[in-house]
Structure formats: C-alpha cells, structure tokens
C-alpha cells in the first residue's frame, strides 16, 4: 500500500494554553487559513467549530481532545485539541502522550500563568517540542518582552524570540521576522506612524542576538559565525528546527488571534520548527507474551501498532475511538488485537476528522491520527496492534480522583439509564470513577475537582436528558504507612472434615509518594506453592482497597511476601487470601499509618484593592502562600490549599472582590493531614460506617 502522505510532511501538534489565553480563537484562525472551515467561528458568539460539544459552546471552554486535520504548504497538520481548563489535566496528559509538538499560547497581558506551568512540566515529561505564541498583542498592557522573561524564568526554558512585535496595543502594526530579516506589516490605520521608522537598528540588533544564541548551541552555526561569514535564513531555520526538536530552545512568536495577525507566520513555524513523526524516537513497547522489549519504528514496513487516546460516545455516531498509529498501517474492517486487555476486536469505518466534516478513509498509516467506529471494548490508553505481532505500549497513567459526591436521578425511573450513562462517561474519562455503596445503595461519583464533576453532570442532563441530584462534595482521603514492618498472618480452621490452612510472612514498607502499590514474591524453596501466590496478592489488595483503620484506601506501599508455610491437604486459595488479609490488616496498624489529603494549587488574580481580603480568606483555609506578583494594580497570588478547605471558595472570592477576582485550581500533590484533623476524620468515618 503506498502512502497517501509523506511522513516528513506530517505534524501532530497540540495547542496548549491557560484558559482564556486565546486557544480557541487561534485554533479557529488556523483552521480558517489551513482548514476547510470557510466561515470563521467566534468564541464569543459561541460558534467555534472545535467547541463541538453543546455545553462547551455555552461555557466557551474546550474540554475534549478531538483531533482535527488541516493542510498548510503541502503539510498535513493534525491538531489534537487539549483542554484549556485546569480541572482536566488528565485530558492534557493523554493528548501530550500522542503529540509530537506543541504550540503554547500565552496571553501577552497576563504572561505565564499557573496552569501553563503545570502543562509545561507535563510536556517536559513527555519530551514534547514546543513553540510559543504570545497572543493578544493588541490588548492594553500587552508586553512581549515581559512574557519572554517569564518563559525563561518561570518555565526555566530558553525562549528564543524569532519575531519581535512592532508596537503594541492599538499600535501593534506588524512583526519583525528575525529569521527572514524582514518586516511583516499588518493593515494599519492611515494616520499611524510608518512602520519602518526606527525599526532597522532594532532589527539588526536582535537578529545579531538571535544568531549569537544559536551559535552558542549549534556547531553548524558556530563555525561560520566565528569566521564572520553571513548566515543564510535557511541555515538559521534548520538550526532552530534542530534545537527545538531536541528541546534545547523554544522559539517565540507573537500576534493577535482575534485580529488575525501573525497566524500565517505561526503556521509556517509549525511546519518549519515542530517535529514530524520521523523526528521522534522510536516508541518502546513490550511483547505482552514474553515481557521482552521491542522498538517500533515510525514506518509503514513495521507491523501495525497504535494507541487509543480518546474515546467519545457520540449520541449520533456511536462509540468513536481516536487512535494514533505509531507503526505499520491498518484498514477499515481489519481485525486488531487490543493487547492491553488481550482481546481481539474488529475496526469499523475509519475517519479523518476535519473541523467541519469527517472524511471516510479506507486505511490508516504510520504517523497519522484517525477515528474509528466499531471498537466495543477498547478504552483510552490501550494498545491496538497486529494480532500476530503483539506489542504493548506503556499505559497512560492517570491521577486518582480526589473528590467524590453521591448522585441520584431526580426521577427514580431514570436509575438504570443513569447507571448506563455514568458507565459510558467513565470509559471516556479515566479520572472519573463510579462506586456503588453496598450498604447505603448510593451511587458515588469521583473526579479531579468540583468543576470536573459539575461539567460531567451537565453532560448527563444535556446529552442524555437525565436530571440528577448531587450531594455535597467529599474529599477522597487516602491512607499510607510511614515505617516498614514485618507481619505474620495464619489462618487455620479445623472443623470436622477438611480444614483450612494458610500462613504468610509479609514485609510491608512505605513506597514513594504517587507510586501506588507494588507486590513482590520472594518465596524460595517452595515455602508456599506457586499456585497460591496470586491469592496472597489478592488478599493484600483487598485490605488496601477497603482501607486500614480509617476506612480510606491505602496507597504507596511495597509488600513483599518472603516466607510462610502450607499444608498438603488443607491449604487453599481462600485460606491464603485470608492469611494475607490478616497479616496486612495487623501490619498496616503497626506501620504508623497516616491519612493523606489532596492539596490543590490555586492561583488568584485580583485588583489590588481586594488583595488584603483575598489573603485573609486564604489564611482561614489553611492555605500556604507561595508568592504574590503585582503588576498594573492587580496581583496574582500563588498558593497551595487543602482541597477540603476549597469548598465555597469560588463564591466567597466573587463576593469579596465584587466579582472582579478570578482563580484557577488544580490537584498538586497529597500531603499528611494534620494530627488533630486526622482524628476527627477517622472518628467521622467510623460513625458513618
Ligand atoms: P481559550 O480559553 O484559550 O480557548 O480562549 P478563547 O479563544 O476562548 O479567548 C478568550 C477571550 O479572549 C475571548 O473573548 C476572545 O475573543 C479573546 N481573545 C482571543 N484572542 C485575542 C486577541 O488576540 N486579542 C484580544 N484582544 N482578545 C483576544
């Protein structure tokens, strides 16, 4: 099968931004220039094409990571939509996994905001190459240089301006392209100054600075530079591309998405500087049968492999799974193996999604992104591959939910429908979980924050027509241990006929924060027969899930099974599960258990006149203030606040600032709950059980 599109001409990118920085507007403009959307949608009017979910239109935020394809200068650009809202970091994380490059958009007035920092760290983790676009240069207070300094300092990255704005605010009249060494003028008012006035000296100085920076980092520029030779624009571009792809610099551009200024240069930069799938290292996978490591090259000659990175249940089309093909190719209707769950599935129709229509295609090739109908069992983060050549990619790890609430349908008749709908949403979103409390019969939903759950409940109403009553949000505390212990469990029953016998010795140790649970089997010389080991593990897990003394799930522990004994006749799976259960329960209680609470990173921006009240409010919430930055009569407070203290915060902030302060909030880490509070919580959990 010959390729439809050369690999080196594909760009799989994400547009990443803090909410309101202009991601949707910029995406619109990109699609206007490079896509088939002829009519530019406007976020403010609520017609933006990427905001395809009804509710997103109303809120003006983009939540789901749909992928949209467009074309620019013979290149094929797949834009994987990353959410702009802080509560949806799982969505960002999953999209970063399948991107090769990112365009990070900053608001030229606000500069680098808290959430951009979080996403930047995530992008570092996945080695995603980036370019920056400083947007809103037309706005009052826009400051290109300040934002560049913030990228250097707050994001600790080498920001390399490849453009400079000519003027700003109302007088933003063009950009200087330092690479091509030319001025790109925008349509200007007839009475504004001529664009070239005073520009030449600035242009020469900054171009020299650009070349010097490149010479420091790239030998192919350094040698001609030291020889005093002229360096051609094409060589500068090639050097910027090399350094961007190796993540050593971040080229910075600027413009105004709303006024359609600088978008075509941005598209050029995407093509010129961001990597193609060929520039990305081969993906490391394992053979699910043997555990042996396998490298899959981005090539059509390799066996087919792909990662499902997004599942959407579309009320009209059905279940749509987006996948990125890493190697080989596949056809509509082909049988594939889902190696994550070891099940074979058949692909239905394949689609390339454009902003305003979907295009049915008969095959999908390496390096591309397609959506497919027909997969029934595959969920987000799972690997699809050629059944005879199985590979398994590293699963996408999602954060555990930090907050839960009880929900019930307003009308009892909707209970089954609600259960179905919640199950569907949980498949789409791995940070959304459902539990049924056996004793109370309640349905508990959990997620990454209040807004996350609110948005999901709105979808339940809008898309599925079910009205829901929701209870108060509850913090999802977790337990862990602080000292290593050894613990014995013996389960012996002798009642008439056949008895029960299970006996284990476990070493239970604290693990690193965020490491979850690890089980090791160190039984030598057959003290416990192999066939019972998995029962021991099951017993251990049972205790971790149901919790130690507090009733909260226990995390970040390493458990090693190192000794025990068995009985030829009486030993059984159940007996070993019980023995492990007993050893674990006692062990946790001896290992100085503590309770962990989720801590949120909160950033508040407020006019200075309300700063004192905002800080006062934060102090009453056990907040730890990390820093306050002031600029232009407004201040930004960065702080860490325990999730339990954040309820009602949005409303309080609104009323103390007459609605003029704004904030963002996202999960940051888990921390030990102070002793006094821990006792209250344990007592409360005990009462409610
Ligand atoms: P998102 O939340 O990052 O997707 O941001 P949007 O694209 O929804 O933009 C947020 C707000 O900023 C909207 O009211 C836009 O009209 C406005 N906006 C976007 N780009 C610009 C720009 O370049 N200049 C100005 N002045 N406003 C902009």
């Amino acid at each position: 099968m010959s390729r439809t599109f050369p690999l080196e001409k594909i760009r799989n990118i994400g547009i990443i931004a803090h909410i309101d920085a202009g991601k949707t507007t910029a995406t619109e403009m990109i699609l206007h220039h490079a896509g088939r959307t002829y009519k530019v949608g406007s976020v403010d009017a609520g017609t933006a094409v990427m905001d395809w979910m009804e509710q997103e239109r109303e809120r003006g935020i983009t939540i789901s990571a749909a992928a949209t394809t467009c074309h620019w200068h013979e290149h094929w650009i797949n834009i994987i939509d990353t959410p702009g809202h802080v509560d949806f970091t799982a969505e960002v994380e999953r999209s970063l996994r399948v991107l090769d490059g990112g365009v990070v958009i900053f608001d030229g007035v606000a500069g680098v905001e808290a959430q951009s920092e979080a996403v930047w760290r995530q992008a570092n983790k996945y080695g995603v190459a980036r370019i920056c676009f400083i947007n809103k240069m037309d706005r009052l207070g826009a400051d290109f240089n300040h934002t560049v300094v913030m990228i250097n300092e707050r994001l600790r990255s080498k920001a390399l301006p490849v453009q400079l704005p000519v003027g700003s605010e109302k007088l933003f009249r063009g950009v200087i392209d330092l690479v091509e060494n030319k001025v790109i003028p925008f349509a200007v008012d007839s009475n504004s100054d001529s664009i070239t006035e005073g520009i030449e000296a600035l242009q020469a100085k900054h171009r020299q600075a650009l070349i010097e920076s490149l010479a420091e980092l790239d030998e192919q520029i350094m040698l001609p530079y030291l020889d005093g030779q002229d360096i051609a624009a094409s060589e500068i571009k090639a050097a910027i591309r090399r350094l961007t792809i190796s993540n050593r610099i971040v080229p910075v551009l600027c413009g105004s998405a709303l006024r359609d200024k600088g978008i075509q240069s941005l598209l050029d930069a995407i093509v010129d500087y961001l990597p193609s799938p060929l520039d990305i290292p081969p993906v490391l996978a394992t053979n699910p049968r043997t555990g042996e490591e396998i490298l899959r090259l981005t090539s059509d000659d390799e066996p087919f492999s792909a990662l499902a990175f997004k599942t959407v249940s579309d009320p009209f089309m059905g279940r749509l799974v987006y996948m990125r093909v890493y190697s080989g190719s596949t056809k509509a209707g082909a049988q594939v193996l889902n190696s994550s769950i070891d099940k074979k599935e058949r692909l239905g129709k394949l689609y390339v999604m454009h902003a305003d229509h979907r295009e049915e295609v008969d095959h999908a090739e390496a390096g591309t992104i397609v959506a497919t109908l027909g997969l029934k069992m595959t969920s987000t983060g799972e690997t699809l591959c050629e059944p005879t050549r199985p590979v398994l990619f590293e699963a996408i790890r999602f954060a555990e939910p930090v907050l839960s609430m009880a929900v019930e349908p307003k009308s009892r008749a909707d209970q089954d429908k609600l259960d179905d709908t919640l199950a569907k949403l949980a498949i789409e979103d791995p940070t959304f979980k459902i539990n049924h409390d056996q004793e109370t019969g309640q349905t508990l939903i959990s997620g990454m924050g209040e807004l996350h759950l609110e948005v999901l409940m709105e979808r339940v109403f809008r898309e599925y027509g079910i009205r829901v009553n929701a209870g108060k949000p509850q913090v999802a505390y977790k337990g862990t241990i602080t000292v290593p212990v050894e613990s014995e469990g013996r389960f012996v029953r002798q009642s008439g006929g056949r008895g029960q016998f299970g006996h284990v010795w476990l070493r239970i140790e604290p693990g690193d924060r965020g490491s979850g649970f690890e089980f090791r089997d160190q039984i030598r010389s057959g003290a416990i027969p192999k066939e019972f080991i998995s029962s021991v593990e099951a017993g251990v897990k049972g205790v971790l899930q149901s919790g130690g003394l507090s009733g909260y799930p226990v995390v970040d522990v390493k458990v090693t099974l190192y000794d025990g004994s068995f009985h030829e006749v009486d030993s059984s799976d159940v007996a070993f599960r019980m023995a492990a259960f007993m050893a674990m329960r006692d062990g946790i209680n001896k290992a100085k258990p503590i309770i962990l609470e989720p801590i949120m990173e909160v950033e508040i921006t407020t006019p200075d006149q309300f700063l004192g009240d905002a800080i006062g409010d934060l102090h009453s919430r056990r907040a730890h203030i990390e820093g306050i930055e002031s600029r232009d009569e407004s201040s930004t407070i960065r702080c860490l606040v325990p999730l339990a203290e954040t309820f009602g915060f949005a409303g309080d902030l609104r009323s103390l600032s007459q609605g003029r302060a704004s904030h963002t909030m996202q999960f940051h880490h888990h921390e030990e709950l102070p002793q006094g509070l821990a006792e209250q919580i344990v007592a409360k959990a005990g009462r409610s059980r």
Side-chain angles (χ1 to χ4, degrees), residues 51-97:
D51 283 23
W52 53 277
M53 279 169 23
E54 196 186 333
Q55 177 202 348
E56 291 184 17
R57 287 177 190 227
E58 269 181 26
R59 288 178 180 249
I61 56 177
T62 313
I63 303 163
S64 33
T68 313
T69 300
C70 60
H71 297 274
W72 184 249
H73 291 174
E74 291 161 16
H75 285 71
W76 178 342
I77 303 175
N78 290 315
I79 303 178
I80 297 146
D81 190 23
T82 58
H85 200 279
V86 284
D87 265 355
F88 307 102
T89 39
E91 292 273 356
V92 180
E93 187 120 4
R94 102 177 57 185
S95 37
L96 286 177
R97 178 69 187 274

Side-chain angles (χ1 to χ4, degrees), residues 615-680:
I615 292 177
D617 182 87
L618 287 170
H619 280 316
S620 71
R621 297 177 186 273
R622 286 195 284 136
H624 179 266
I625 295 182
E626 303 240 287
I628 302 176
E629 280 171 34
S630 294
R631 230 177 117 221
D632 299 338
E633 290 165 30
S634 105
S635 294
T636 300
I637 311 168
R638 296 201 294 149
C639 57
L640 297 172
V641 190
L643 173 65
E645 308 287 342
T646 62
F647 302 140
F649 178 65
D652 291 353
L653 187 66
R654 215 177 300 127
S655 50
L656 73 81
S657 69
Q658 297 159 15
R660 290 173 56 202
S662 61
H663 82 289
T664 62
M665 187 185 300
Q666 66 193 313
F667 171 67
H668 193 264
H669 68 285
H670 275 103
E671 204 167 282
E672 180 175 353
L673 191 65
Q675 186 66 37
L677 288 172
E679 281 160 11
Q680 283 174 26

